[in-house]
Amino acid sequence: MKTLLDQLKTSLNASSLIIGDAISDKYFADWSGATSCPPVALLKPKTTEELSTIMSLCHQYDQPVVVQGGLTGLAGGATPQQGEFAISLERMNTIEEIDTTAMTLTACAGTPLQLLQEAAAEHDLFVPLDLGARGSCMIGGNVATNAGGTEVLRYGMTRSMVLGLEAVLADGTVINAMNKMVKNNSGYDLKHLFIGSEGTLGIVTRVVLQLQPKSRSTHTALCALNSYSAVTQLLIEFKRSLGSGLTGFELMWDSYYDKVIEVVPDLVSPFDKSHPFYLLIEYQDNDKVSGKQRFESALFAQFEAGLLMDVLIAQSLQNAAVFWQIRDGIGELLQVLGPVSNQDVSLPVTDINVFAMDLDKRLKDKYDNIGVLLFGHIGDNNLHVCAYTGREDDKAKINEDIMLMIGEYSGAITAEHGIGVLKREFLPLSRTDSEIALMKTIKSAMDPKNILNPGRVL
């Protein structure tokens, strides 16, 4: 170990290597709640070349590493384990280019998502990825976990917007696949090995993103519904009437909606009475007048058809912000509910409410005083489940109950936060034996010494 550290000290700038008590506890854990652990050393490369040197030496000495970005992950993937070095990409935070003609953005992996969004907006362009953690999460982590967010319905997951990338392999080899073209079928598209691999196959260092033109107007409505069947019918009808302009379809069960209104200061329900479901609709258009008319006409048609019980259309940015504050209230709930099983799962749209009702009943039959909060994107199959009893001992058991039920329903145990460490043992519930065997073959081929994020995913 001393020899490796000595070589790293010789090869790197002093600010790139931190050891012992000088390491801030910020790097001991990510947001997942996984047990914190101080890394043996903290490495903070500023360039791809520095990272390549680090990995070459770690590979030579069989030294395991954990890769860290904004530490906003919820699967424990960036939390160090015993004996690991932590590699933080936070100093690799440069926006290298915005090509306004090709509508592409090239940036280093440690650049926060919000900075990319703001830089694109200065050119009247739009990064088609948005997450609640936008100010902290980094694009390298977004790519490594194939992040989803609230724009998936229209633009797809992160994978859909990555044209090219650069990555450093376990042995320090640099893979430059910085493609800027939409069409390029020249052999294997290697970027897909790294997107969604959670840093287990290579460390993403730079990325080329496809941008979109910024919409001229955004229209938002908060709707009340009496049944889940109305929700699924509305999804079809709004896709038909609003087309690709439908960018948000966020469903909240009354359990979640009521708890947010109860807990978040200064929030008051804008509806006069309670309903079983609440739906946040967002529509984007390039013509403020005709877009507004099209949006309101679509809502009115479904109100007349009886699918919507009540509709509130945002008349200002402030109105829209309040509607989104209700949807995004989970961040504030997690601060006050105590130990929470916070799961994001995927199911076929038609099965989501059957699963939700079954889960609610099973958990309430098994645990005293349990709260079950449900919300999700729905249009992209994503359901968020938050369950809590206030007892830390129940959390792991509730996690397992939810995972096993997902297996029963043939769903995905994670929709957008990854497997990491916390869901690793449940991977066979969503992947076949042959799929997992192939994953292990790829991992073994690309990281034969198992030093890149070991124990994550597989």
Side-chain angles (χ1 to χ4, degrees), residues 330-405:
I330 182 61
E332 295 184 64
L333 290 186
L334 291 176
Q335 297 175 27
V336 300
L337 294 180
V340 174
S341 173
N342 183 21
Q343 304 298 330
D344 83 292
V345 296
S346 282
L347 297 133
V349 172
T350 50
D351 294 343
I352 286 178
N353 196 49
V354 176
F355 171 85
M357 291 189 296
D358 190 8
L359 177 68
D360 187 78
K361 182 179 187 304
R362 289 199 210 182
L363 291 181
K364 288 179 177 175
D365 285 347
K366 184 173 181 178
Y367 300 94
D368 294 330
N369 301 317
I370 190 170
V372 182
L373 311 180
L374 302 162
F375 65 101
H377 311 300
I378 305 305
D380 56 22
N381 308 105
N382 193 182
L383 175 69
H384 290 279
V385 180
C386 294
Y388 57 96
T389 63
R391 299 181 293 271
E392 180 66 40
D393 291 346
D394 289 338
K395 182 177 174 180
K397 292 183 287 186
I398 295 171
N399 289 345
E400 183 174 7
D401 290 336
I402 296 172
M403 293 297 97
L404 292 175
M405 272 194 67

Side-chain angles (χ1 to χ4, degrees), residues 240-421:
R240 181 179 291 121
S241 58
L242 299 177
S244 62
L246 181 63
T247 55
F249 194 87
E250 303 287 319
L251 183 64
M252 296 168 279
W253 277 251
D254 55 356
S255 59
Y256 173 78
Y257 182 92
D258 293 342
K259 180 59 71 171
V260 171
I261 296 298
E262 172 192 332
V263 169
V264 178
D266 302 323
L267 267 187
V268 178
S269 176
F271 294 107
D272 292 332
K273 61 180 183 178
S274 298
H275 298 271
F277 297 94
Y278 299 88
L279 184 64
L280 180 60
I281 304 288
E282 183 181 83
Y283 170 68
Q284 295 183 352
D285 200 288
N286 287 322
D287 187 311
K288 290 185 178 181
V289 176
S290 65
K292 182 174 185 291
Q293 292 172 346
R294 185 179 184 184
F295 184 58
E296 293 181 356
S297 176
L299 290 168
F300 182 74
Q302 301 313 317
F303 181 77
E304 287 286 287
L307 293 179
L308 295 174
M309 296 297 102
D310 203 351
V311 180
L312 299 170
I313 300 174
Q315 301 300 316
S316 65
L317 292 176
Q318 289 77 13
N319 286 160
V322 170
F323 293 167
W324 275 105
Q325 188 181 7
I326 298 173
R327 164 58 182 82
D328 293 338
I330 182 61
E332 295 184 64
L333 290 186
L334 291 176
Q335 297 175 27
V336 300
L337 294 180
V340 174
S341 173
N342 183 21
Q343 304 298 330
D344 83 292
V345 296
S346 282
L347 297 133
V349 172
T350 50
D351 294 343
I352 286 178
N353 196 49
V354 176
F355 171 85
M357 291 189 296
D358 190 8
L359 177 68
D360 187 78
K361 182 179 187 304
R362 289 199 210 182
L363 291 181
K364 288 179 177 175
D365 285 347
K366 184 173 181 178
Y367 300 94
D368 294 330
N369 301 317
I370 190 170
V372 182
L373 311 180
L374 302 162
F375 65 101
H377 311 300
I378 305 305
D380 56 22
N381 308 105
N382 193 182
L383 175 69
H384 290 279
V385 180
C386 294
Y388 57 96
T389 63
R391 299 181 293 271
E392 180 66 40
D393 291 346
D394 289 338
K395 182 177 174 180
K397 292 183 287 186
I398 295 171
N399 289 345
E400 183 174 7
D401 290 336
I402 296 172
M403 293 297 97
L404 292 175
M405 272 194 67
I406 281 292
E408 287 180 36
Y409 279 78
S410 300
I413 59 170
T414 177
E416 55 184 353
H417 292 301
I419 297 294
V421 173

